């Protein structure tokens, strides 16, 4: 052991002393004691020069107490330092394997009792399930050993150090160590003992390790057992009561595979588990067996002989108050929520989760890519010079990490792929890891995205490949170049299954184009889906000086270096609220497809292996969003991969209303993750009779006017609207700006499919450059007739010659007030626009406009490349609930294809709007918010938004798409909004 403090923290050796070999995390009836709970704790800003704290008689009564498991930076309201968020950057100098002397070090102490009857134990083992980043252990003053690998399990043999009765354990944890270079994952740096600490009594004649490998083939199951136990532990008995198995092995030589008939297979859709035990006279280990066979056949990844499509999420362990401390109840609900949103797969980015999570994945049903605790992304800063992945000095550490990953979790049927890590460059150490895995577990393939040329992995994997590039990867015979591949390497990679290990960066409002990626999976069998980045935001609950709670991101804790809100990139907000993007994902990934064909619907079961016997199919008819009829469709049970043609119900279609048929596939009975009636798939069919839009009534008798007049419910002064239906109103003013989304602010180079973006320059920067956030107006004319008012204005920005001509016509049309706005840009605009809309400002007066009811797309926000979750109907919402609380305020709340809108104040409708399609049949959308786009764009956090005394209604002729450019491709050209002439027509009446 090193005694010089600076030496051992810079040692690349993964562990020393009485550290035991890796083994499975098993459920055993052998005695154990949890050491979770309050520990005495002292934090030092550097590595203390002495180790006297580890002696038995050390006086620690003056120390603080801290819970174990926990992260010390999340305790004491900053008393022990603060979290640090980086994505790629190292928060210390890149000087491998060394770390700075300024190395926060936490010393932990606690007493524990060893029962007298443990004297019969052959060994006493102290297990740590997770400590960040390097720790040393003493028991009763004896140094036991050290270990690193923060998200890995480590066991120490403490037999010689413990005694019956009172004992004391001391642990020294260093925030920074050589291991930190291998743990540069995109997440918060959170030091401390953050997973369970357990004392285990290992009985003489016990079971050291068990691996029950399983297989399945056409109704027959196979168990290939591997038992690690002393010969004296025999006889050993394997029992699987649900299959009538009771196999006794008299000695090690008798342990052999078993073939079993009548087995139901395990899959992510039907996660059939069989309870099993492996017993000696001294110990019983309980396992749950799932029978499945994993294989790669050509360019197909198969489980039980059928192709798998991953509708997956990258999942970090994160909680706004606990950090990475595991809470089983919360984790179970998290996975149940995934299932409810049609997620079927998890990539454990970028480390093994708490082992109980994998028990839950087995039980609830997920395809799991289990990833090793490894990432060295910060070496990209120096061109990967001295990257540990190709340095022999780090090989032992690399192999130790993959061995501990595989050995701990090898019994889980949910794990179908092993992943070496993430964004660690490439090199011989990764190849050595892969070779070890192939030797240890030949069945499950090896994944690592950074092996672009496929030199040592089994699956071709990429992150953030564009739709076009993904299509070329899936296309037979394509010669399109692949990233970092020679033509020969690219041809070889096209012979393998392809997985997008990260795609659709879900940061803020977005991503777009989920449906385009999904379509490719069904067109090209080589493409096996992928994993969205990522499942949930990593916000840490904090408060402002005045006590306002908010979810903090990088920089909020005054970090020296950080990566801002890039840690807020989940489909779930930090407070467990599903974003609209998650609803979009559910719609895109739905496992039942409806195709309308005349008077029939073709229902296709897209599942891996489950038929539709667990589903019922319901229909309803709505006229202008009001339900008029409903019933059940009679559908035969559809096997996986098969289709059924079913007649549609017949219903009247009135001439004066839109008629919509909606079909839902819902659970016929409750499951472990959703109640009966939960909808897993839906589709709509428009059966409306055609209705022509009213034409524009021509007027030729325009006269110059001072613009002060009344038209029905509208009052104007100097050509400007001042009141509507007795309420103060300002507008409409041209609005081309939206508060930039995180994707709008993205500077990705992936603009090859766009003709309006600049590589390395965000669209938001171009919008600000062109002054879209600061438009000014010069009125050119005001004219009127007896029942109409027309204004023409030139809208432009300071220091810009670009402009937009806006013609606004108000007219009385029967008992309605019509507003028609013609928008025509000048020549010379070179970039996309965020929106083409008009804004009305509605001051609160005696009561604010605080709610809306609309007929159009809903209930969630929608954008041109994110419409699959939107359905046509009638919806009601408060103004507050129309917006999403993204961690960084940005564009939110747009509802597309508006037909009717009613604005309410204090429970009373005050204005009604009806839209008129333009000459191309296009309908506008709307946003209703308490803040302007400009105000939203100025705020870095929700609490920074100013107090508002006005509601703001924006009616958009068009919106720019969302894309995924925060870390991926820009908006697809079809959904990019180029400057163009547009018309907005509204019919307005009082409430």
């Amino acid at each position: 052991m090193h005694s010089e403090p600076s030496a051992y923290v810079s040692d690349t050796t993964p562990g020393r002393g009485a550290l035991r070999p890796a083994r499975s995390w098993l459920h055993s009836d052998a005695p154990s004691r949890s050491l979770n709970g309050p520990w005495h704790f002292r934090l030092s800003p550097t590595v203390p020069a002495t180790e006297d704290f580890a002696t038995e008689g050390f006086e620690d009564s003056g120390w603080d107490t801290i819970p174990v498991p926990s992260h010390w930076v999340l305790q004491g309201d900053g008393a022990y330092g603060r979290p640090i968020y980086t994505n790629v950057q190292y928060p210390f100098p890149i000087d491998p394997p060394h770390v700075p002397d300024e190395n926060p070090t936490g010393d932990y102490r606690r007493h524990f009792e060893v029962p007298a009857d443990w004297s019969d134990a052959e060994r006493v083992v102290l297990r740590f399930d997770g400590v960040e980043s390097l720790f040393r252990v003493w028991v009763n003053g004896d140094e036991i050993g050290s270990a690193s690998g923060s998200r890995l399990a480590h066991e120490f043999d403490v037999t010689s150090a413990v005694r019956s009765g009172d004992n004391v354990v001391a642990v020294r944890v260093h925030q920074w160590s050589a291991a930190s270079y291998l743990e540069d994952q995109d997440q918060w740096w959170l030091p401390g003992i953050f997973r369970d600490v357990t004392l285990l009594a290992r009985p003489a004649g016990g079971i050291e390790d068990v691996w029950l490998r399983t297989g399945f083939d056409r109704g027959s199951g196979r168990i290939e057992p591997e038992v690690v136990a002393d010969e004296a532990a025999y006889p050993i008995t394997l029992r699987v009561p649900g299959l009538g198995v009771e196999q006794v092995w008299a000695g090690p030589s008798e342990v052999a595979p078993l073939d079993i008939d009548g087995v139901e297979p395990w899959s992510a859709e039907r996660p059939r588990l069989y309870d099993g035990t492996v017993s000696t006279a001294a110990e019983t280990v309980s396992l749950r067996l799932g029978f499945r066979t994993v294989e790669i056949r050509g360019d197909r990844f198969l489980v039980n002989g059928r192709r798998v499509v991953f509708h997956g999420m990258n999942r970090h362990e994160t909680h706004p108050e606990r950090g990475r401390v595991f809470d089983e109840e919360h984790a179970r609900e998290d996975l149940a929520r995934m299932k409810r949103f049609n997620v079927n797969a998890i990539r454990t980015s970028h480390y093994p989760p708490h082992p109980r999570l994998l028990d839950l994945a087995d039980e609830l049903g997920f395809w799991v890519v289990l990833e090793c605790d490894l990432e060295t992304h910060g070496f990209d800063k120096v061109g990967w010079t001295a990257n540990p992945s190709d340095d022999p000095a780090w090989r032992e550490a690399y192999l130790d990490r993959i061995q501990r990953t595989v050995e701990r979790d090898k019994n889980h049927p949910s794990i179908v792929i092993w992943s070496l890590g993430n964004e660690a460059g490439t090199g011989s150490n990764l190849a050595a890891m892969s070779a070890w895995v192939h030797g240890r577990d030949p069945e499950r393939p090896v994944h690592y995205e950074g092996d672009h040329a496929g030199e040592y992995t089994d699956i071709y994997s990429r992150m953030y490949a564009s739709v076009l590039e993904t299509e070329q990867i899936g296309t037979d015979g394509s010669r399109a170049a692949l990233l970092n591949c020679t033509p020969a390497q690219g041809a070889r990679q096209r012979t393998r299954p392809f997985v997008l290990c990260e795609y659709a960066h879900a940061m803020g409002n977005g991503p777009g184009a989920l449906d385009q990626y999904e379509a490719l999976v069904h067109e090209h069998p080589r493409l096996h889906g992928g994993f969205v980045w990522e499942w949930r935001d990593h916000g840490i609950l904090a408060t402002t000086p005045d006590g306002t709670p908010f979810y903090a991101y990088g920089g909020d804790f005054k970090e020296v270096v950080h990566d801002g809100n890039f840690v807020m990139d989940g489909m779930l907000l930090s407070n467990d609220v599903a974003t609209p993007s998650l609803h979009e994902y559910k719609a895109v990934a739905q496992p039942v497809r409806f195709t309308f064909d005349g008077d029939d619907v073709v229902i296709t079961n897209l599942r891996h292996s489950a038929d539709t016997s667990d589903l019922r199919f319901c229909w309803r008819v709505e006229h202008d969003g009001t339900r008029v009829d409903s019933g059940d469709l009679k559908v035969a049970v559809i096997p996986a991969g098969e289709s059924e043609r079913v007649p549609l119900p017949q219903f009247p279609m009135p001439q004066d209303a839109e008629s919509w048929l909606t079909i839902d596939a819902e659970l016929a009975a409750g499951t472990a993750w959703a109640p009966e009636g939960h909808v897993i798939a839906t589709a709509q069919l428009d059966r409306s009779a055609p209705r022509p839009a009213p034409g524009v009534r021509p007027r030729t008798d325009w006269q110059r006017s001072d613009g002060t007049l009344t038209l029905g419910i509208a009052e104007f002064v100097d050509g400007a609207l001042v009141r509507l239906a007795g309420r103060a109103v300002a507008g409409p003013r041209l609005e081309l700006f939206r508060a930039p989304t995180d994707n709008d602010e993205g500077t990705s180079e992936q603009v090859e499919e766009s003709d309006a973006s600049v590589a390395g320059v965000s669209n938001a920067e171009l919008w600000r450059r062109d002054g879209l956030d600061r438009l000014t107006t010069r009125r050119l004319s005001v004219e009127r007739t007896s029942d109409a008012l027309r204004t023409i204005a030139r809208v432009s920005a300071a220091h810009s010659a670009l402009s937009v001509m806006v013609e606004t016509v108000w007219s009385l049309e029967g008992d309605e007030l019509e507003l028609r706005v013609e928008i025509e840009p000048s020549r010379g605009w070179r970039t996309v626009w965020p929106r083409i809309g008009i804004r009305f400002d509605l001051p609160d007066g005696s009561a604010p406009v605080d709610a809306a009811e609309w007929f159009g797309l809903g209930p969630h926000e929608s954008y041109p490349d994110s419409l699959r979750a939107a359905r046509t109907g009638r919806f009601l919402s408060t103004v507050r609930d129309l917006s999403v609380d993204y961690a960084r305020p940005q564009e939110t709340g747009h509802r597309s294809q508006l037909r009717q809108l009613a604005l309410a104040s204090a429970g009373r409708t005050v204005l009604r709007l009806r839209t008129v399609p333009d000459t191309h049949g296009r309908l506008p959308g709307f946003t209703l918010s308490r803040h302007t786009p400009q105000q939203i764009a100025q705020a870095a956090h929700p609490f920074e938004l100013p107090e508002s005394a006005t509601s703001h209604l924006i009616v958009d002729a068009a919106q720019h798409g969302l894309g995924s450019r925060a870390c991926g491709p820009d908006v697809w050209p079809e959904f990019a909004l180029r400057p163009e002439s547009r018309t907005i027509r509204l019919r307005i009446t009082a409430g």
Side-chain angles (χ1 to χ4, degrees):
M1 305 292 292
H2 293 288
S3 58
E4 182 185 344
S6 62
Y8 73 82
V9 296
S10 298
D11 188 352
T12 61
T13 304
R16 294 181 179 274
L19 187 62
R20 304 182 74 238
R23 67 187 183 112
S24 297
W25 195 88
L26 296 169
H27 298 275
S28 166
D29 68 353
S32 66
R33 294 207 130 186
S34 171
L35 298 189
N36 293 352
W39 289 51
H40 289 284
F41 179 75
R42 174 186 69 186
L43 182 67
S44 303
T46 61
V47 180
T50 66
E51 298 161 2
D52 60 338
F53 86 105
T55 61
E56 283 192 76
F58 181 82
E59 179 53 54
D60 60 14
S61 61
W63 285 19
D64 296 337
T65 59
I66 194 172
V68 168
S70 72
H71 304 279
W72 70 62
V73 293
L74 297 183
Q75 300 295 316
D77 194 24
Y80 312 117
R82 290 295 195 181
I84 299 169
Y85 166 61
T86 62
N87 169 29
V88 178
Q89 304 180 78
Y90 283 113
F92 46 81
I94 303 175
D95 181 26
H98 308 290
V99 294
D101 295 338
E102 296 88 350
N103 187 357
T105 298
D107 289 332
Y108 294 77
R109 284 174 56 90
R110 72 157 286 169
H111 288 261
F112 63 93
E113 290 287 320
V114 173
D117 59 4
W118 280 28
S119 58
D120 297 334
E122 183 176 67
R123 286 184 307 281
V124 178
V125 172
L126 183 60
R127 182 177 71 214
F128 294 83
D129 284 315
V131 183
E132 183 175 328
S133 70
L134 166 69
F135 67 107
R136 298 169 70 190
V137 182
W138 293 261
V139 174
N140 295 329
D142 294 341
E143 184 164 6
I144 303 300
S146 66
S148 60
S150 297
R151 271 66 69 174
L152 304 168
H154 297 90
E155 293 183 334
F156 296 92
D157 190 332
V158 297
T159 309
S160 61
V162 298
R163 57 185 177 241
S164 294
D166 184 63
N167 296 260
V168 63
V169 58
V171 183
R172 174 162 284 176
V173 181
H174 306 283
Q175 176 158 13
W176 309 125
S177 68
S180 302
Y181 285 99
L182 307 185
E183 297 176 2
D184 189 30
Q185 290 99 336
D186 177 6
Q187 62 180 348
W188 295 97
W189 298 86
L190 299 172
I193 305 174
F194 68 95
R195 285 187 185 157
D196 306 307
V197 182
T198 311
L199 195 68
L200 308 170
R202 300 298 307 134
I207 299 167
E208 179 64 15
D209 202 0
V210 174
W211 186 6
L212 300 181
R213 310 185 196 204
T214 63
F216 178 82
D217 184 18
R218 292 188 292 269
S220 296
R222 184 174 177 85
I223 301 175
E224 296 185 16
E226 177 186 289
V227 180
V228 179
D230 292 339
E231 193 159 354
Y234 287 82
I236 293 176
T237 303
L238 166 66
R239 294 184 177 88
V240 187
L243 293 171
V245 173
E246 183 162 342
Q247 176 71 43
V248 179
W249 299 307
S253 63
E254 293 190 11
V255 178
L258 290 80
D259 291 313
I260 310 161
D261 291 330
V263 170
E264 296 177 38
W266 183 97
S267 73
E269 293 165 354
R270 291 189 173 159
R272 178 65 165 98
L273 294 172
Y274 293 89
D275 292 328
T277 59
V278 179
S279 303
T280 71
E283 181 180 17
T284 295
V285 170
S286 301
L287 304 97
R288 293 189 299 179
L289 286 73
F291 290 86
R292 52 100 187 99
T293 294
V294 178
E295 64 178 319
I296 290 177
R297 195 182 301 162
D299 62 357
R300 311 293 162 85
F301 175 80
L302 310 175
V303 175
N304 296 335
R306 296 184 66 89
R307 171 176 171 257
V308 171
V309 174
F310 296 108
H311 291 116
M313 293 286 162
N314 282 279
R315 182 190 180 274
H316 270 286
E317 292 198 310
T318 183
H319 185 273
E321 295 173 89
R322 296 187 298 270
R324 282 188 284 280
V325 176
F326 183 75
D327 178 270
E328 183 164 332
E329 182 180 356
H330 186 261
R332 179 182 287 275
E333 173 54 28
D334 218 29
L335 298 196
R337 184 183 292 110
M338 285 187 180
K339 295 284 286 189
R340 292 195 294 271
F341 280 93
N342 291 334
V343 175
N344 70 5
I346 298 169
R347 176 178 176 230
T348 68
S349 53
H350 299 292
Y351 45 83
H354 190 284
R356 276 292 292 157
L357 186 97
L358 297 167
D359 288 342
L360 299 178
D362 294 341
E363 174 189 325
L364 294 173
F366 289 92
W367 312 116
V368 174
V369 177
L370 191 77
E371 197 145 89
C372 184
D373 190 6
L374 175 65
E375 182 166 336
T376 67
H377 204 171
F379 283 91
D380 183 56
K381 166 81 172 179
V382 292
W384 298 100
T385 301
N387 181 22
S389 295
D390 203 34
D391 184 343
W394 296 84
R395 179 156 304 178
E396 183 184 358
Y398 273 59
L399 289 173
D400 180 75
R401 285 173 182 258
I402 194 63
Q403 289 164 11
R404 292 187 180 279
T405 296
V406 171
E407 297 293 356
R408 193 195 76 170
D409 298 326
K410 55 185 177 281
N411 281 293
H412 290 283
S414 58
I415 298 171
V416 293
I417 296 173
W418 300 112
S419 180
L420 304 180
N422 184 68
E423 294 175 326
T426 189
S428 59
N429 292 338
L430 288 157
M433 293 169 75
S434 181
W436 183 88
V437 176
H438 283 123
R440 183 69 177 114
D441 183 9
E443 181 191 31
R444 285 179 276 212
V446 173
H447 165 275
Y448 176 66
E449 186 270 345
D451 180 29
H452 293 147
E455 295 176 347
Y456 47 84
T457 50
D458 306 305
I459 291 170
Y460 184 33
S461 176
R462 288 284 308 284
M463 53 176 68
Y464 307 110
S466 68
V467 172
L468 181 61
E469 186 179 7
T470 302
E471 182 179 33
Q472 290 303 311
I473 291 169
T475 300
D476 288 337
S478 171
R479 296 189 177 184
L482 301 184
L483 181 69
N484 295 332
C485 286
T486 66
Q489 291 168 334
R492 181 178 62 182
Q493 288 293 61
R494 283 191 173 89
T495 67
R496 293 174 169 169
F498 176 76
V499 171
L500 282 161
C501 68
E502 295 179 22
Y503 82 112
H505 193 261
M507 186 175 179
N509 189 346
L514 287 170
D515 53 347
Q516 293 177 273
Y517 284 102
E518 177 70 14
L520 293 178
V521 167
H522 299 288
E523 187 177 348
H524 303 285
R526 180 180 307 133
L527 307 180
H528 288 73
F531 298 81
V532 169
W533 188 266
E534 63 174 306
W535 171 239
R536 65 162 60 239
D537 284 359
H538 296 221
I540 291 179
L541 187 62
T543 56
T544 63
D546 68 1
T548 302
F550 72 102
Y551 292 101
Y553 50 74
D556 288 334
F557 297 109
K558 306 296 187 267
E559 300 102 308
V560 176
V561 297
H562 63 85
D563 287 303
N565 69 319
F566 208 69
V567 77
M568 304 299 227
D569 47 12
M571 289 201 154
L572 204 65
L573 300 181
S574 301
N575 60 355
D576 295 346
V577 172
T579 65
S581 68
L582 186 52
H583 290 274
E584 179 77 0
Y585 185 88
K586 176 188 177 182
V588 166
Q590 61 186 34
V592 175
R593 181 169 61 204
F594 302 96
T595 305
F596 295 105
D597 183 14
D599 291 331
D600 296 337
V601 59
V602 178
I603 303 176
T604 303
N605 179 5
L606 299 173
R607 290 162 152 183
H608 171 264
S609 48
D611 62 30
T612 60
S613 58
D614 60 329
L615 303 178
R616 62 177 175 235
F617 296 86
C618 308
W619 61 268
R620 66 183 179 274
V621 174
E622 293 166 320
H623 293 164
D624 278 357
T626 300
R627 183 179 300 200
V628 295
D629 201 359
S630 62
D632 292 335
L633 278 182
K634 292 183 178 180
V635 182
V637 173
I638 307 172
E642 301 294 322
S643 299
E644 178 83 5
R645 179 178 287 270
V646 179
L648 290 171
Q650 298 301 305
F651 53 89
M653 294 177 287
Q655 295 295 314
D656 59 346
E658 291 189 35
S659 297
W660 286 85
L661 170 69
T662 303
I663 299 177
D664 293 328
E666 61 182 43
L667 294 178
T671 68
W673 46 269
E676 177 185 351
H678 169 75
V679 175
I680 68 161
T682 192
Q684 281 193 310
L685 176 64
D686 184 359
R687 299 297 293 266
S688 306
R691 285 187 294 170
V696 175
R697 183 152 56 98
R699 287 179 173 84
T700 58
D701 53 344
W702 294 107
Q703 303 286 329
R704 284 181 177 271
S705 171
D706 63 2
T708 299
L709 71 157
T710 298
L711 286 175
I713 61 171
E715 300 175 38
F716 302 88
V717 175
D718 295 332
L721 177 69
V722 293
R723 298 183 74 81
L724 265 176
R727 288 188 66 98
V729 178
R733 58 166 291 169
L734 180 69
E735 188 62 85
L736 301 180
F737 186 65
R738 72 183 185 195
T741 67
D742 290 307
N743 290 310
D744 294 337
E745 295 282 9
T747 58
S748 166
E749 302 286 330
Q750 292 193 53
V751 297
E752 70 274 8
E753 293 150 15
S754 172
D755 59 4
S757 297
V758 178
V761 180
S762 73
N763 284 327
E765 180 58 32
L766 298 176
W767 299 339
R768 289 186 287 260
R769 180 200 68 187
D770 286 348
L772 299 188
D773 57 338
R774 48 185 173 82
L775 297 175
T776 61
T777 301
R778 180 169 66 88
R779 183 170 296 154
L780 303 181
S781 67
V782 180
E783 298 175 306
R784 65 166 295 177
T785 70
S786 61
D787 61 356
L789 173 70
R790 179 172 68 180
T791 64
I792 298 176
R794 183 181 187 272
V795 179
S796 56
H799 198 58
S800 174
L802 301 171
S803 65
V804 180
M805 298 299 292
V806 179
E807 180 186 21
T808 303
V809 179
W810 294 90
S811 62
L812 292 175
E813 307 293 342
D815 57 357
E816 294 180 307
L817 177 70
E818 175 165 308
L819 167 65
R820 178 170 54 87
V821 182
E822 301 284 356
I823 299 163
E824 183 180 353
S826 67
R827 294 183 179 182
W829 294 93
R830 299 190 305 279
T831 186
V832 293
W833 278 351
R835 69 178 351 132
I836 302 174
I838 53 174
R839 189 179 95 205
F840 297 89
D841 299 329
L842 310 166
D844 290 349
S846 59
V849 170
D850 55 11
E853 181 182 0
W854 74 98
F855 175 43
L857 291 190
H860 309 287
E861 66 184 25
S862 55
Y863 292 83
D865 53 355
S866 184
L867 285 170
R868 290 285 290 274
R871 61 181 174 85
T872 302
R874 191 169 293 277
F875 307 99
L876 178 67
S877 174
T878 65
V879 172
R880 176 70 188 79
D881 289 341
L882 284 169
S883 299
V884 179
D885 265 339
Y886 296 113
R888 184 188 69 80
Q890 56 196 276
E891 162 67 26
T892 176
H894 182 259
R895 267 69 177 178
S896 307
Q897 297 180 26
L898 177 67
R899 281 85 159 167
Q900 300 168 19
L901 174 64
L903 304 180
S905 176
R908 183 177 67 87
T909 299
V910 293
L911 279 176
R912 295 184 184 275
L913 287 75
R914 183 169 64 88
T915 65
V916 180
D918 67 11
T919 55
H920 297 278
R922 297 173 295 194
L923 288 165
F926 82 97
T927 304
L928 183 61
S929 170
R930 294 293 289 173
H931 295 93
T932 68
Q934 291 75 9
Q935 290 172 326
I936 296 170
Q938 291 298 312
H941 301 86
F943 68 81
E944 296 174 38
L945 290 167
E947 288 294 322
S948 174
T950 304
S951 294
H952 305 277
L953 171 66
I954 302 178
V955 178
D956 287 315
Q959 274 255 4
H960 184 56
L962 298 174
S964 191
R965 200 181 176 193
C967 186
D970 200 2
V971 174
W972 189 257
E974 179 183 348
F975 307 112
L977 178 57
R978 293 159 187 80
E980 62 185 26
S981 297
R982 296 298 290 254
T983 301
I984 296 174
R985 289 181 69 190
L986 306 175
R987 294 287 180 92
I988 306 170
T989 57

